[in-house]
């Protein structure tokens, strides 16, 4: 009688394959969902890709942007794809495209607002974009994009714009801005100054995350902010904690479920804060307070 014996499998090939996988750099393993975001052949007429794309994660991002990587982490960064494009005629110039995947649409906007150039001109690419002679910044969906030309003193904004359009066509997500910004869609707020802080609004850890913008009220320049993700309870707690930070902080009840706080912040000078139900909004860096309360009420409406 023959005995059927179980087949013997060698673990050596399996272990070898596993070891090989572990030793393959992230730049190769990540290509599955990152490489498709980069234009594969050219990014603008006459600018062809040079070499192969490279990829970075949270552990390796500092290899690419040493000294700045930490700025991305609070905004949910997890991966970045980069490629360099060069002109067909070798002039020594190059165009670097970097695509960062952030935690959300709001996070991508936060990074864009951090780098947005005041002197740049808006471009109809992505959700928002700013273009200068040598750089283009844009965001779309959860992706933040930086395109920069190096190795030449010539300004080539048209090439940057063309490359930006080619990248935006490959990015997932719509061209919509974060819905959280709509609260500042009012005439007093200066468009293009909105910014999102993912933590420590105004430098206070208990204020957590929020949106700020520049505004002009009754001829007076100021900054306004609104805290995000608050409940009625947390708004009340933060309101009381911020009061303890102010000099001469005074609270004035306003209606049944609201109150104004006025005082002097040691860092920013005079401030006015409104707590209304789940909303906490404030104004600072102003020289006159005329019209500010009405603006905050409209923000918290």
């Amino acid at each position: 009688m023959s005995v059927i014996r179980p087949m013997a499998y060698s673990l050596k090939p399996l272990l070898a394959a596993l070891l090989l996988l572990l030793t393959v750099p992230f730049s190769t393993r990540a290509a599955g969902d990152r490489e498709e975001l980069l234009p594969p052949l050219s990014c603008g007429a006459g600018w062809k890709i040079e070499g192969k794309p490279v990829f970075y994660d949270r552990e390796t991002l500092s290899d690419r942007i040493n000294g700045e990587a930490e700025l991305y982490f609070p905004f949910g960064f997890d991966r970045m794809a980069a490629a360099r494009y060069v002109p067909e005629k070798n002039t020594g110039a190059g165009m670097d495209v970097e695509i960062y995947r952030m935690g959300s649409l709001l996070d991508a906007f936060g990074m864009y607002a951090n780098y947005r150039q005041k002197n740049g001109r808006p471009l109809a690419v992505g959700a928002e974009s700013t273009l200068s002679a040598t750089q283009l910044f844009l965001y779309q969906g959860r992706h933040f994009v930086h395109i920069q030309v190096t190795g030449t003193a010539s300004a080539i904004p048209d090439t940057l714009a063309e490359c930006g359009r080619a990248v935006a066509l490959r990015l997932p997500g719509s061209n919509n801005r974060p819905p959280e910004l709509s609260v500042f869609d009012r005439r007093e707020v200066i468009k293009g100054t909105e910014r999102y802080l993912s933590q420590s609004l105004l430098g206070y850890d208990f204020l957590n995350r929020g949106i700020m913008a520049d505004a002009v009220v009754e001829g007076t320049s100021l900054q306004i902010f609104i805290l995000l993700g608050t409940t009625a309870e947390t708004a009340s707690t933060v309101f009381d904690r911020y009061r303890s930070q102010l000099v001469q902080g005074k609270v004035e009840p306003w209606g049944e479920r609201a109150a104004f706080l006025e005082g002097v912040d040691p860092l920013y000078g005079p401030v006015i804060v409104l707590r209304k139900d789940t909303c906490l909004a404030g104004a600072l860096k102003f020289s006159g307070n005329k019209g500010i309360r009405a603006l905050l009420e409209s923000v918290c409406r």
Side-chain angles (χ1 to χ4, degrees):
M1 179 178 178
S2 60
V3 178
I4 300 177
R5 300 181 182 276
M7 297 181 64
Y9 293 94
S10 174
L11 292 178
K12 289 184 178 180
L14 180 60
L15 291 175
L18 179 60
L19 181 61
L20 178 62
L21 177 62
L22 293 175
T23 57
V24 173
F26 177 81
S27 60
T28 301
R29 301 204 308 272
D33 63 346
R34 300 290 89 201
E35 190 169 11
E36 62 187 23
L37 301 180
L38 293 160
L41 300 177
S42 62
C43 200
W47 289 75
K48 294 186 176 181
I49 195 167
E50 180 183 58
K52 295 182 178 181
V54 289
F55 304 88
Y56 302 86
D57 61 7
R58 290 177 65 91
E59 295 182 358
T60 59
L61 183 61
S62 60
D63 296 338
R64 177 81 181 191
I65 52 171
N66 187 26
E68 293 187 44
E70 290 75 13
L71 297 175
Y72 289 77
F73 298 154
F75 295 91
F77 166 82
D78 64 356
R79 292 184 183 178
M80 188 263 272
R84 184 171 178 83
Y85 300 82
V86 296
E88 293 178 345
K89 296 181 179 180
N90 186 10
T91 62
M95 184 163 54
D96 294 304
V97 177
E98 298 175 340
I99 304 175
Y100 300 80
R101 190 171 74 175
M102 311 307 298
S104 67
L105 168 60
L106 184 60
D107 289 312
F109 164 78
M111 289 309 307
Y112 167 78
N114 186 62
Y115 286 100
R116 176 180 50 206
Q117 298 173 306
K118 291 184 178 180
N119 297 327
R121 63 182 175 90
L123 193 68
V125 177
E128 290 182 85
S129 60
T130 54
L131 174 67
S132 68
T134 59
Q135 295 188 89
L136 172 64
F137 296 96
L138 68 94
Y139 74 96
Q140 180 174 307
R142 62 184 291 194
H143 290 92
F144 165 65
V145 180
H146 177 211
I147 305 175
Q148 181 174 12
V149 173
T150 59
T152 177
S154 301
I156 51 173
D158 291 342
T159 299
L160 283 166
E162 189 176 354
C163 181
R165 293 187 186 98
V167 170
L169 285 174
R170 305 178 69 88
L171 294 178
S174 69
N175 292 341
N176 295 329
R177 301 173 77 217
E180 293 88 347
L181 300 181
S182 62
V183 69
F184 284 167
D185 288 342
R186 52 196 71 252
R187 59 180 179 81
E188 297 92 346
V189 177
I190 302 174
K191 294 187 180 301
T193 65
E194 306 94 337
R195 48 209 179 273
Y196 166 60
L197 290 87
S198 61
Q199 59 186 16
S200 301
L201 186 67
L202 305 185
Y204 296 104
D205 57 358
F206 61 85
L207 286 178
N208 202 1
R209 62 192 187 98
I211 301 173
M212 297 189 67
D214 298 339
V216 177
V217 179
E218 301 286 347
T220 299
S221 297
L222 64 144
Q223 293 183 349
I224 60 173
F225 67 87
I226 185 168
L227 206 63
L228 298 178
T230 54
T231 64
E233 182 179 358
T234 58
S236 179
T237 299
V238 169
F239 186 82
D240 292 338
R241 290 196 62 181
Y242 190 48
R243 178 187 181 185
S244 68
Q245 302 292 322
L246 302 183
V247 178
Q248 300 175 345
K250 296 181 180 179
V251 176
E252 179 183 348
W254 196 260
E256 296 181 0
R257 298 171 299 178
F260 276 104
L261 167 63
E262 293 195 32
V264 178
D265 187 301
L267 299 176
Y268 303 103
V271 297
I272 299 177
V273 178
L274 170 63
R275 174 187 57 77
K276 183 178 181 181
D277 296 327
T278 62
C279 179
L280 188 78
L284 61 152
K285 293 187 176 181
F286 51 82
S287 57
N289 60 12
K290 186 178 180 180
I292 292 180
R293 286 194 173 196
L295 173 61
L296 295 180
E297 283 189 282
S298 68
V299 168
C300 283
R301 185 166 299 160

